[in-house]
Amino acid sequence: MGELKKIAYNCKKATLLIEKKQITLLTLREKLELKIHLAGCSVCRTFEKQSIMINELVKKLFDEANQKELHLDNDYKTALQQEIETRLNN
Amino acid sequence: MNLETKELTVDPRQWVSKYADYLYNYALTRLNDEDIARDLVQDTFLAALEKIQSFKGESSERTWLTAILKYKVIDIYRKKSATILLKPDVTQAEKEQDNFFNTEDGHWNAEHRPILLGVEDNDPLHNKELAHILQLCMHKLPALWLSVFTMKHVDGENTEMICTSLKLSTSNYWVIIHRAKLNLRACLQRNWS
């Protein structure tokens, strides 16, 4: 089997390229391989769609969690404050 | 003039009231452990006090403190990955993926093929149930995979920095990026009703 033909059937490699593409630039060859694969593989097109969706959703979940006011325990804060004061005064 | 600005921008007596909750949230979302998150907030303030002279006022106090905390979080990742690499969670998660693809030609095996969940084009980012399942799935990821995934996709760290700080080879890094996504996606599909 020729190299290009191989990728046309290799979903394991295609899904790796889908991940790479979201992080870095693919080489021209990789781009071509992925394009050919996706043109003929609806399963990996679904994977790509969901992969992008997952990244966006994870990012959103973390952003929300960062804004959420989860409070550190008050006694703990008081102790921290005291520790900082002590160190500043010494 | 410069010195005056500096004194105005650093005020350790205000740190706890201004930033403790923020930093705690930051650590907690990344480490999922209240005790460790608390300890890191304390470590961050104390480390910041030690090197208060190095605060240049180029970034805000909060950004500066978060940067210190960030390295402490990565330190925990590193410690976890050092002890966890050979532990069951990674091995087991890898095993689960063994039969995702046909070993001969790399094609999806029928029972593991991605199928559309039906939310993809339907405002998935605002789907509460989807978000909830995804969170459960993230908690089930092996610690090292979650660290790599979070550093890349949430914090946008560059690949080289991630590899250096977690002591990963580049090829190992790509394997983890790939496997983490395969795992999360499969978990979503499995739990989506």
Side-chain angles (χ1 to χ4, degrees):
Chain A
M1 228 191 305
E3 282 301 313
L4 278 177
K5 198 150 186 208
K6 254 190 217 160
I7 178 70
Y9 294 99
N10 191 331
C11 301
K12 189 172 181 180
K13 176 143 190 224
T15 51
L16 172 63
L17 291 180
I18 288 168
E19 292 312 301
K20 269 195 160 173
K21 188 181 157 196
Q22 294 177 69
I23 290 176
T24 183
L25 284 175
L26 297 182
T27 64
L28 279 176
R29 183 183 180 86
E30 287 173 331
K31 269 188 208 164
L32 182 64
E33 287 180 346
L34 183 58
K35 208 173 159 185
I36 292 173
H37 183 93
L38 288 177
C41 180
S42 67
V43 183
C44 285
R45 288 202 298 272
T46 298
F47 178 91
E48 183 177 39
K49 195 168 208 179
Q50 294 174 336
S51 170
I52 294 168
M53 175 183 82
I54 288 170
N55 284 355
E56 289 173 351
L57 192 53
V58 167
K59 183 99 179 62
K60 182 165 175 267
L61 287 175
F62 271 79
D63 287 346
E64 281 171 1
N66 259 344
Q67 283 158 16
K68 204 164 40 179
E69 279 299 290
L70 267 179
H71 293 290
L72 194 53
D73 181 86
N74 271 334
D75 290 341
Y76 194 81
K77 279 189 192 167
T78 312
L80 260 183
Q81 184 72 35
Q82 275 164 2
E83 193 164 351
I84 290 174
E85 301 275 352
T86 313
R87 293 197 183 211
L88 283 175
N89 294 332
N90 283 336
Chain B
M1 183 65 200
N2 234 337
L3 262 179
E4 274 175 29
T5 338
K6 194 166 163 179
E7 274 164 9
L8 280 177
T9 44
V10 191
D11 187 358
R13 287 190 174 81
Q14 300 291 319
W15 285 353
V16 173
S17 65
K18 277 181 164 166
Y19 312 117
D21 287 334
Y22 176 83
L23 296 172
Y24 177 63
N25 271 312
Y26 181 97
L28 189 57
T29 46
R30 282 160 183 78
L31 296 166
N32 226 346
D33 182 316
E34 292 175 18
D35 288 336
I36 298 181
R38 268 182 192 208
D39 285 350
L40 290 193
V41 175
Q42 181 186 25
D43 289 354
T44 300
F45 286 149
L46 299 185
L49 276 180
E50 295 281 316
K51 52 180 175 186
I52 206 155
Q53 297 304 331
S54 74
F55 181 74
K56 302 272 196 307
E58 284 157 357
S59 54
S60 72
E61 239 181 337
R62 191 177 90 168
T63 308
W64 182 62
L65 290 167
T66 310
I68 296 174
L69 174 60
K70 184 175 98 180
Y71 280 97
K72 299 198 175 291
V73 170
I74 292 173
D75 238 23
I76 303 276
Y77 285 164
R78 181 171 31 224
K79 281 181 194 144
K80 276 195 182 173
S81 63
T83 53
I84 261 164
L85 256 178
L86 297 170
K87 286 204 174 157
D89 71 338
V90 169
T91 326
Q92 202 202 325
E94 282 180 354
K95 226 176 171 175
E96 275 173 31
Q97 295 183 359
D98 276 353
N99 50 3
F100 275 19
F101 301 101
N102 184 306
T103 38
E104 296 282 298
D105 60 13
H107 210 288
W108 288 100
N109 281 325
E111 66 273 34
H112 294 287
R113 272 180 207 151
I115 42 176
L116 287 170
L117 305 176
V119 278
E120 290 84 354
D121 295 318
N122 205 1
D123 200 10
L125 296 188
H126 290 98
N127 189 307
K128 289 238 158 64
E129 195 191 347
L130 188 68
H132 177 68
I133 296 174
L134 184 57
Q135 267 174 324
L136 294 180
C137 292
M138 285 177 70
H139 289 169
K140 281 195 258 173
L141 270 190
L144 176 64
W145 295 8
L146 183 60
S147 309
V148 173
F149 188 86
T150 314
M151 286 175 82
K152 184 73 235 174
H153 292 299
V154 178
D155 296 325
E157 302 296 353
N158 70 48
T159 296
E160 205 188 325
M161 185 272 201
I162 299 174
C163 290
T164 318
S165 51
L166 297 179
K167 297 197 167 65
L168 293 170
S169 68
T170 315
S171 61
N172 207 343
Y173 164 82
W174 286 113
V175 170
I176 291 173
I177 285 282
H178 188 206
R179 283 186 179 276
K181 184 58 68 61
L182 287 170
N183 180 306
L184 281 178
R185 202 218 59 81
C187 177
L188 263 190
Q189 182 165 317
R190 212 167 38 238
N191 291 287
W192 183 256
S193 43

